Amino acid sequence: MREKVVSGIRPTGKLHLGNYFGAFKNFIKLQDQFDCYFFIADYHSLTTHPTPGDLKGSVKRVLAEYIALGLDPEKCTVYFQSDVPETAELYLFLNMNAYMGELERVTSFKEKARTQPDNINAGLLTYPVLMAADILLHKAIKVPVGKDQEQHLEMARTFANRFNRLYNNEFFPEPQAFNFNTQLVKVPGLTGGGKMSKSAGESDTIFLDEPATSLNKKIMRAVSDSGPTEPGADKSQAVQNLFDLMSLVCTPETIGFFDTEHKNGSIRYGDLKKQLAADMETFIAPMRDKIESTLANEKMLQEIAHLGAAKARKSAQETMAQVREIIGFSKFYM
Ligand code: TYM
C-alpha cells in the first residue's frame, strides 16, 4: 500500500507565492508517488468569520487554482473539508484529549489572540486539533506544509500518540511535516517583516494570478535598504527577504551577480527589483492565464468536487468505523 499524504490550504483568498513554494509545489510532485489527499480547508476558514458569499467564492477559486496549477484528480483525491463530515466527528473525539494549557501555548494561537483580540474564539484555540483530525482521518504519514505549520504537526503527533496510549494500541501513525529531505520553506513578504501572508495586507503578498502591473508595483515598492552599504556588510532582513524571493524565480547567475554587487557595496536595489519583477512575471504569467480559464469551467470543477468528496469519504469512513469501535461506540444493539 502506498504511504498516505494529506495537506490543505484555507480558502481565505487567492493562493499566493508562500502557499505555492511552502506547500503546493510539493503537492504536485507527491501525487505521482503516494496516495494523496489534498483538500480545501473551509472549516478552518470559519475562525475568521467570512460572509457566506465570500466563502462560496473563495472555495471555488481555490479548487480552480489547485487544478490549474497541476493537481490531477485522477492521480490524487482533491476535496472540500466540509464534504467529509467525519472530519468534524474525529475533531470532537480528539478534543476530549486536548488540553487547554497546551492549546494556549501554541504560537499561532497566541499570535491570533494578539492580532484579533475581539475574536478569540474556541475554533482558534482548537485549530491544531481540527488539523490533526484532517491528517489522522486518512492515517497520513507525510504532510507537505510550510515552516509555519511545524508546531501544528508536532501537536498532531501528540494527539495521535495520546489516542494510541489511551486505547492501548498503535492505531494512528505519526505524521511528519514533509519537504523532500530539505528544510521546510518560509517565503518572506514584501513589506520587510516575516512570512508572506494575506493578513499582512495586499502589499505584502504576491498572488499566483497577480496582474502584471500590480506585480511590478508591489515589487518596486518592496522594502529594501535606502542605498548601498559598506563593502562586506551583512544583509539587512529586508534585503535578505529580496534575495530569498530571487532564489525562487531567478537564475543562479542573476543571484550571484547581485550578491557580488552587495558584497562590493555597489548594489542598486532599483536594478535588483527590476530584475526580480521581470523574472517573477515570467513565472506568474502562465499561471495567471491557466487559473482564469479553469475558473470559467464550472462544470469540470463540479465533477472534480463530487469525485473527490466520494473518494475522501470512503477513506474517512473506513478510519472512523475503526475509531468508533476502539473508543467503545460499537453498541450492544448493533
Ligand atoms: P494556510 O492556508 O495558512 O497555508 C497553506 C499552506 O501554505 C503554507 N504557507 C507558507 N509557506 C511558506 N511561506 C509562507 N509565507 C507561507 N504562507 C503559507 C503553509 O505552511 C501551509 O502549508 N493550517 C493550514 C491548513 C490546514 C492543513 C491541515 C495543512 C488545515 N488542515 C492539515 C496540512 C494538514 C494552513 O496553514 O493553511
Side-chain angles (χ1 to χ4, degrees):
M1 213 163 66
R2 289 191 304 170
E3 274 181 15
K4 303 273 179 84
V5 174
V6 164
S7 195
I9 299 181
R10 282 174 305 148
T12 45
K14 307 169 179 191
L15 299 195
H16 57 70
L17 274 191
N19 300 135
Y20 188 84
F21 287 102
F24 195 83
K25 197 172 166 210
N26 285 339
F27 296 5
I28 305 169
K29 279 206 247 172
L30 287 162
Q31 66 180 340
D32 290 317
Q33 305 167 37
F34 298 101
D35 186 8
C36 294
Y37 294 81
F38 297 124
F39 65 96
I40 293 147
D42 47 3
Y43 282 155
H44 273 102
S45 74
L46 296 184
T47 57
T48 51
H49 303 169
T51 65
D54 282 351
L55 183 60
K56 274 188 196 166
S58 293
V59 295
K60 183 175 160 207
R61 182 165 192 104
V62 176
L63 177 63
E65 290 178 320
Y66 271 15
I67 303 304
L69 302 177
L71 287 193
D72 178 348
E74 300 286 327
K75 290 185 187 163
C76 64
T77 302
V78 182
Y79 67 101
F80 293 110
Q81 189 183 28
S82 62
D83 278 342
V84 183
E86 288 79 8
T87 309
E89 188 185 1
L90 185 56
Y91 170 56
L92 182 147
F93 291 158
L94 295 176
N95 265 326
M96 302 302 168
N97 301 305
Y99 295 99
M100 194 73 176
E102 63 189 344
L103 294 171
E104 279 175 338
R105 280 195 299 275
V106 175
T107 314
S108 62
F109 174 72
K110 288 196 284 192
E111 176 67 15
K112 280 273 157 45
R114 197 177 57 77
T115 52
Q116 54 182 72
D118 301 333
N119 180 21
I120 310 176
N121 58 66
L124 275 181
L125 184 69
T126 56
Y127 187 105
V129 189
L130 182 53
M131 220 174 123
D134 296 324
I135 297 165
L136 300 178
L137 197 55
H138 303 294
K139 299 177 124 186
I141 293 177
K142 292 184 166 56
V143 184
V145 284
K147 179 94 185 128
D148 59 313
Q149 297 300 309
E150 213 165 23
Q151 194 182 22
H152 292 160
L153 260 295
E154 211 178 296
M155 306 270 315
R157 285 193 290 280
T158 301
F159 298 139
N161 287 328
R162 199 172 285 161
F163 181 95
N164 291 349
R165 259 201 316 279
L166 186 64
Y167 296 106
N168 204 12
N169 62 27
E170 297 282 307
F171 186 69
F172 287 124
E174 275 199 346
Q176 306 288 341
F178 181 79
N179 186 21
F180 289 97
N181 291 330
T182 52
Q183 299 231 320
L184 300 182
V185 173
K186 173 181 150 188
V187 176
L190 293 170
T191 50
K195 63 160 188 157
M196 178 174 288
S197 101
K198 283 165 267 189
S199 52
E202 283 271 321
S203 51
D204 192 60
T205 312
I206 296 173
F207 296 105
L208 299 178
D209 69 340
E210 191 77 48
T213 40
S214 63
L215 176 63
N216 193 55
K217 231 185 257 164
K218 283 182 179 182
I219 293 179
M220 293 314 287
R221 282 186 194 152
V223 179
S224 62
D225 291 348
S226 45
T229 40
E230 294 289 294
D234 287 342
K235 294 186 181 104
S236 67
Q237 186 58 55
V239 169
Q240 184 58 50
N241 286 355
L242 289 175
F243 273 85
D244 287 352
L245 288 170
M246 278 204 296
S247 74
L248 304 174
V249 294
C250 301
T251 63
E253 292 73 38
T254 302
I255 299 167
F257 170 79
F258 285 108
D259 213 25
T260 307
E261 292 284 289
H262 185 270
K263 278 198 191 91
N264 295 341
S266 54
I267 190 163
R268 290 158 55 135
Y269 292 111
D271 291 349
L272 179 153
K273 290 183 194 175
K274 241 186 240 162
Q275 185 64 49
L276 176 59
D279 291 343
M280 196 62 85
E281 168 61 15
T282 307
F283 176 73
I284 284 198
M287 295 191 171
R288 191 190 293 139
D289 298 343
K290 199 83 205 295
I291 291 170
E292 218 40 63
S293 60
T294 309
L295 204 47
N297 199 342
E298 178 132 349
K299 187 150 184 306
M300 178 189 72
L301 294 176
Q302 284 172 355
E303 282 168 12
I304 291 171
H306 283 298
L307 175 74
K311 285 205 280 182
R313 281 206 83 182
K314 185 166 178 291
S315 158
Q317 282 167 352
E318 275 167 27
T319 305
M320 289 314 291
Q322 291 173 283
V323 167
R324 285 185 214 114
E325 174 81 32
I326 290 171
I327 292 181
F329 280 119
S330 42
K331 306 209 177 58
F332 68 92
Y333 56 84
M334 284 175 168

